[in-house]
mmCIF file of all heavy atoms in Angstrom:
data_model
loop_
_atom_site.group_PDB
_atom_site.id
_atom_site.type_symbol
_atom_site.label_atom_id
_atom_site.label_comp_id
_atom_site.label_asym_id
_atom_site.label_seq_id
_atom_site.Cartn_x
_atom_site.Cartn_y
_atom_site.Cartn_z
ATOM 1 N N GLU A 425 118.841 83.520 205.892
ATOM 2 C CA GLU A 425 117.847 82.835 205.148
ATOM 3 C C GLU A 425 118.373 81.544 204.496
ATOM 4 O O GLU A 425 117.585 80.619 204.255
ATOM 5 C CB GLU A 425 117.292 83.752 204.042
ATOM 6 C CG GLU A 425 116.420 84.911 204.639
ATOM 7 C CD GLU A 425 115.058 84.555 205.061
ATOM 8 O OE1 GLU A 425 114.727 83.401 204.840
ATOM 9 O OE2 GLU A 425 114.352 85.407 205.509
ATOM 10 N N GLN A 426 119.643 81.529 204.141
ATOM 11 C CA GLN A 426 120.180 80.401 203.470
ATOM 12 C C GLN A 426 120.807 79.333 204.326
ATOM 13 O O GLN A 426 121.088 78.227 203.940
ATOM 14 C CB GLN A 426 121.288 80.873 202.541
ATOM 15 C CG GLN A 426 120.850 81.946 201.500
ATOM 16 C CD GLN A 426 121.945 82.636 200.740
ATOM 17 O OE1 GLN A 426 123.070 82.088 200.680
ATOM 18 N NE2 GLN A 426 121.749 83.812 200.238
ATOM 19 N N LEU A 427 120.986 79.668 205.608
ATOM 20 C CA LEU A 427 121.536 78.728 206.558
ATOM 21 C C LEU A 427 120.493 77.830 207.161
ATOM 22 O O LEU A 427 119.248 78.135 207.183
ATOM 23 C CB LEU A 427 122.260 79.488 207.690
ATOM 24 C CG LEU A 427 123.417 80.397 207.218
ATOM 25 C CD1 LEU A 427 124.029 81.112 208.450
ATOM 26 C CD2 LEU A 427 124.577 79.583 206.526
ATOM 27 N N PRO A 428 120.910 76.706 207.705
ATOM 28 C CA PRO A 428 119.911 75.765 208.351
ATOM 29 C C PRO A 428 119.191 76.501 209.482
ATOM 30 O O PRO A 428 119.811 77.143 210.383
ATOM 31 C CB PRO A 428 120.798 74.650 208.888
ATOM 32 C CG PRO A 428 121.964 74.644 208.029
ATOM 33 C CD PRO A 428 122.220 76.096 207.654
ATOM 34 N N ARG A 429 117.882 76.481 209.474
ATOM 35 C CA ARG A 429 117.062 77.208 210.439
ATOM 36 C C ARG A 429 117.378 76.813 211.855
ATOM 37 O O ARG A 429 117.491 77.680 212.798
ATOM 38 C CB ARG A 429 115.582 76.938 210.155
ATOM 39 C CG ARG A 429 114.607 77.783 210.998
ATOM 40 C CD ARG A 429 114.817 79.298 210.747
ATOM 41 N NE ARG A 429 114.805 79.739 209.357
ATOM 42 C CZ ARG A 429 113.714 79.977 208.672
ATOM 43 N NH1 ARG A 429 112.528 79.908 209.266
ATOM 44 N NH2 ARG A 429 113.750 80.385 207.489
ATOM 45 N N GLU A 430 117.598 75.524 212.083
ATOM 46 C CA GLU A 430 117.921 75.021 213.533
ATOM 47 C C GLU A 430 119.196 75.629 213.924
ATOM 48 O O GLU A 430 119.355 76.014 215.112
ATOM 49 C CB GLU A 430 117.959 73.514 213.465
ATOM 50 C CG GLU A 430 118.068 72.887 214.816
ATOM 51 C CD GLU A 430 116.681 72.713 215.451
ATOM 52 O OE1 GLU A 430 115.650 72.950 214.738
ATOM 53 O OE2 GLU A 430 116.621 72.305 216.596
ATOM 54 N N ILE A 431 120.188 75.718 213.085
ATOM 55 C CA ILE A 431 121.481 76.260 213.477
ATOM 56 C C ILE A 431 121.336 77.737 213.784
ATOM 57 O O ILE A 431 121.985 78.303 214.702
ATOM 58 C CB ILE A 431 122.548 75.945 212.349
ATOM 59 C CG1 ILE A 431 122.681 74.438 212.164
ATOM 60 C CG2 ILE A 431 123.850 76.603 212.699
ATOM 61 C CD1 ILE A 431 123.552 74.026 211.063
ATOM 62 N N VAL A 432 120.637 78.429 212.917
ATOM 63 C CA VAL A 432 120.454 79.899 213.089
ATOM 64 C C VAL A 432 119.762 80.194 214.456
ATOM 65 O O VAL A 432 120.270 81.109 215.217
ATOM 66 C CB VAL A 432 119.614 80.465 211.960
ATOM 67 C CG1 VAL A 432 119.211 81.930 212.272
ATOM 68 C CG2 VAL A 432 120.348 80.431 210.678
ATOM 69 N N LEU A 433 118.763 79.449 214.874
ATOM 70 C CA LEU A 433 118.027 79.710 216.091
ATOM 71 C C LEU A 433 118.811 79.233 217.298
ATOM 72 O O LEU A 433 118.735 79.920 218.354
ATOM 73 C CB LEU A 433 116.695 79.010 215.994
ATOM 74 C CG LEU A 433 115.751 79.556 214.862
ATOM 75 C CD1 LEU A 433 114.403 78.773 214.949
ATOM 76 C CD2 LEU A 433 115.500 80.998 214.987
ATOM 77 N N LYS A 434 119.564 78.172 217.190
ATOM 78 C CA LYS A 434 120.216 77.713 218.403
ATOM 79 C C LYS A 434 121.654 78.102 218.499
ATOM 80 O O LYS A 434 122.194 78.098 219.630
ATOM 81 C CB LYS A 434 120.135 76.166 218.342
ATOM 82 C CG LYS A 434 118.744 75.622 218.556
ATOM 83 C CD LYS A 434 118.734 74.099 218.765
ATOM 84 C CE LYS A 434 117.363 73.582 219.089
ATOM 85 N NZ LYS A 434 117.309 72.146 219.323
ATOM 86 N N LYS A 435 122.328 78.511 217.446
ATOM 87 C CA LYS A 435 123.651 78.951 217.466
ATOM 88 C C LYS A 435 123.808 80.448 217.270
ATOM 89 O O LYS A 435 124.413 81.145 218.132
ATOM 90 C CB LYS A 435 124.489 78.176 216.455
ATOM 91 C CG LYS A 435 125.967 78.638 216.342
ATOM 92 C CD LYS A 435 126.672 78.450 217.682
ATOM 93 C CE LYS A 435 128.107 78.955 217.571
ATOM 94 N NZ LYS A 435 128.734 78.782 218.907
ATOM 95 N N LEU A 436 123.355 80.970 216.162
ATOM 96 C CA LEU A 436 123.573 82.333 215.877
ATOM 97 C C LEU A 436 122.743 83.306 216.749
ATOM 98 O O LEU A 436 123.223 84.394 217.149
ATOM 99 C CB LEU A 436 123.190 82.613 214.399
ATOM 100 C CG LEU A 436 124.127 81.914 213.361
ATOM 101 C CD1 LEU A 436 123.691 82.384 211.948
ATOM 102 C CD2 LEU A 436 125.576 82.225 213.574
ATOM 103 N N LEU A 437 121.473 82.935 216.971
ATOM 104 C CA LEU A 437 120.639 83.800 217.774
ATOM 105 C C LEU A 437 121.154 84.109 219.186
ATOM 106 O O LEU A 437 121.265 85.263 219.605
ATOM 107 C CB LEU A 437 119.191 83.161 217.858
ATOM 108 C CG LEU A 437 118.177 84.058 218.566
ATOM 109 C CD1 LEU A 437 117.967 85.377 217.856
ATOM 110 C CD2 LEU A 437 116.826 83.295 218.662
ATOM 111 N N PRO A 438 121.579 83.055 219.935
ATOM 112 C CA PRO A 438 122.139 83.383 221.260
ATOM 113 C C PRO A 438 123.371 84.216 221.213
ATOM 114 O O PRO A 438 123.611 85.136 222.006
ATOM 115 C CB PRO A 438 122.447 81.995 221.809
ATOM 116 C CG PRO A 438 121.552 81.070 221.075
ATOM 117 C CD PRO A 438 121.417 81.635 219.712
#
Side-chain angles (χ1 to χ4, degrees):
E425 291 282 357
Q426 306 170 19
L427 299 178
R429 186 61 53 86
E430 190 84 6
I431 298 174
V432 169
L433 296 180
K434 292 189 175 181
K435 175 61 182 177
L436 296 183
L437 182 62

